[in-house]
Amino acid sequence: MSSEDAVPVPVGDDRDVGAAWNISGSKEAQGCVHPIRVLVEGGAYKANPDKPLLKLHLGDPAHFGNLPASPVALHALSEVALQGASNGYVPTIGLEEARRSVAKKFSYGHNITAEDVVITSGCSHAIDLVFTACCDHGDNILVPRPGFPLYITNSACRDVESRFYNLLPERSWQVDVEQMESLIDSKTKLIVLNNPSNPCGSVYSKQHLLEIADVARRHHLPILADEVYGDVVGLTFIILC
């Protein structure tokens, strides 16, 4: 084809596109507000220089030098890294060996297999995946109050209402089961249960968990069981599954 046959490519039109860039965030992005980040990173407070500062905003014991990784685990990880055989992409749901190990740990007499397990990039990613899978615009979820604010942030991004069930300080921060059940309607998609509780630190008994599970069973609602602190409580801990 000669240059005379070439079709000119339009580089613009007569629309008034403005004199400057004006790229705004989406409504979904603007709705994703983490209240703790706003407080801590926004400089909304100033520490008293005459008093020691107790940082209660970060639920990560390892960040402050506690719960160091086992030398056995560190050695195994370093060996795998040096071998260079695991540097590529892995299946989206995680390596089968890892999923088998998780299934074995959490079976507790049930027939949980690798096919029932999805490996995520931390608990926050797992929460995000569950909300995406279960909730549509206009639905609602039940979340604890007081509770971890990430549940509210993730639901607000999706135009999903957070309905708050109360944790009762006079009962060692147990769930007000009757009040929680009163929040359920046809748009309720799941119950978020955080045990051990962040920030309250309560650890629920088997009987209390059965009461909550009974509400979910009668209303045919799944439970998102956030049990990320289950291995660090130092007490007898009952896993919901």
Side-chain angles (χ1 to χ4, degrees):
M1 183 175 68
S2 69
S3 59
E4 297 166 343
D5 298 323
V7 178
V9 178
V11 294
D13 54 33
D14 295 332
R15 290 177 300 167
D16 182 9
V17 295
W21 288 90
N22 184 24
I23 301 175
S24 59
S26 67
K27 291 181 180 179
E28 182 174 314
Q30 293 176 30
C32 293
V33 178
H34 196 301
I36 291 182
R37 300 301 179 195
V38 171
L39 177 66
V40 175
E41 298 173 4
Y45 70 94
K46 291 185 178 180
N48 187 333
D50 299 322
K51 293 184 177 181
L53 180 63
L54 300 178
K55 297 185 177 181
L56 303 179
H57 65 285
L58 187 61
D60 182 3
H63 182 79
F64 300 101
N66 302 306
L67 302 178
S70 163
V72 175
L74 292 174
H75 179 71
L77 286 171
S78 63
E79 278 196 333
V80 171
L82 290 172
Q83 288 169 6
S86 302
N87 293 338
Y89 290 126
V90 300
T92 305
I93 58 176
L95 290 170
E96 185 175 355
E97 301 95 310
R99 291 186 287 117
R100 281 202 304 265
S101 296
V102 172
K104 181 179 179 181
K105 176 177 173 60
F106 291 100
S107 284
Y108 297 101
H110 302 289
N111 188 28
I112 298 176
T113 70
E115 298 303 313
D116 302 308
V117 177
V118 175
I119 304 294
T120 64
S121 299
C123 191
S124 297
H125 182 207
I127 293 169
D128 185 77
L129 284 181
V130 172
F131 283 8
T132 299
C134 294
C135 300
D136 289 316
H137 294 286
D139 289 335
N140 67 73
I141 61 173
L142 308 188
V143 299
R145 179 175 56 192
F148 186 42
L150 185 65
Y151 310 132
I152 307 168
T153 300
N154 272 4
S155 62
C157 291
R158 294 167 172 77
D159 190 27
V160 171
E161 177 189 1
S162 291
R163 293 187 174 180
F164 301 97
Y165 62 83
N166 296 324
L167 306 184
L168 303 173
E170 66 273 17
R171 298 184 193 171
S172 300
W173 301 104
Q174 288 192 355
V175 174
D176 186 337
V177 178
E178 183 177 350
Q179 182 262 345
M180 179 181 72
E181 186 168 12
S182 72
L183 302 173
I184 297 172
D185 64 13
S186 61
K187 286 288 189 178
T188 305
K189 287 302 180 73
L190 58 86
I191 299 171
V192 177
L193 184 67
N194 184 203
N195 177 46
S197 168
N198 177 7
C200 300
S202 52
V203 180
Y204 299 146
S205 67
K206 180 178 180 179
Q207 180 58 39
H208 191 51
L209 290 173
L210 288 173
E211 293 172 357
I212 297 168
D214 183 60
V215 172
R217 178 187 58 80
R218 286 188 283 104
H219 292 274
H220 305 98
L221 290 173
I223 294 178
L224 191 166
D226 183 351
E227 300 173 334
V228 66
Y229 296 113
D231 288 333
V232 301
V233 295
L235 302 169
T236 299
F237 178 69
I238 307 297
I239 293 179
L240 187 62
C241 68

